[in-house]
Amino acid sequence: MLKVVRDSVKKAQMSDVVVKSIKCMGGCERACSVGFNAAGKQACLFVDMSPDNPEEVLHIIELYKQNPIGRLPNLSKELKNKYLCRIPQPLSAKNK
């Protein structure tokens, strides 16, 4: 999955997107897992992603980039079923 996503991001000329491998995302029962995070945004985790459909990952990247806090309100029903969780950004000292 990692190579497929890297190749797809490169082909789509998304030079501002960094694809990294993470040892464990806790989604073994629903692999393949793909997570998204960026400074100032909540993180989100998708499961049951298929290496045969990298366009799905590219679509999520575009939606994630468009929302200033990383919310994904316009997901298709299929992607909503793969959206396992969102992780709020850490509280800053002034927000505690």
Side-chain angles (χ1 to χ4, degrees):
M1 183 73 172
L2 180 64
K3 181 175 178 3
V4 170
V5 171
R6 278 192 177 139
D7 291 348
S8 296
V9 165
K10 185 176 180 179
K11 185 177 179 181
Q13 299 179 348
M14 295 179 163
S15 60
D16 58 333
V17 174
V18 178
V19 179
K20 295 182 181 180
S21 172
I22 304 296
K23 190 171 187 172
C24 178
M25 294 179 70
C28 292
E29 293 179 15
R30 296 185 66 191
C32 293
S33 301
V34 178
F36 302 87
N37 71 7
K41 294 187 177 194
Q42 65 187 13
C44 52
L45 179 62
F46 285 80
V47 293
D48 299 329
M49 303 298 286
S50 172
D52 296 331
N53 192 0
E55 294 80 17
E56 212 170 43
V57 175
L58 296 178
H59 177 66
I60 297 168
I61 291 171
E62 286 299 333
L63 292 174
Y64 187 76
K65 287 169 56 175
Q66 289 171 11
N67 190 286
I69 60 170
R71 294 239 170 144
L72 301 169
N74 299 318
L75 292 174
S76 66
K77 183 177 180 181
E78 183 179 343
L79 285 177
K80 283 180 184 177
N81 290 334
K82 297 178 179 187
Y83 191 9
L84 183 64
C85 67
R86 65 183 173 97
I87 304 160
Q89 59 181 314
L91 292 174
S92 66
K94 66 180 181 181
N95 291 337
K96 289 184 180 179

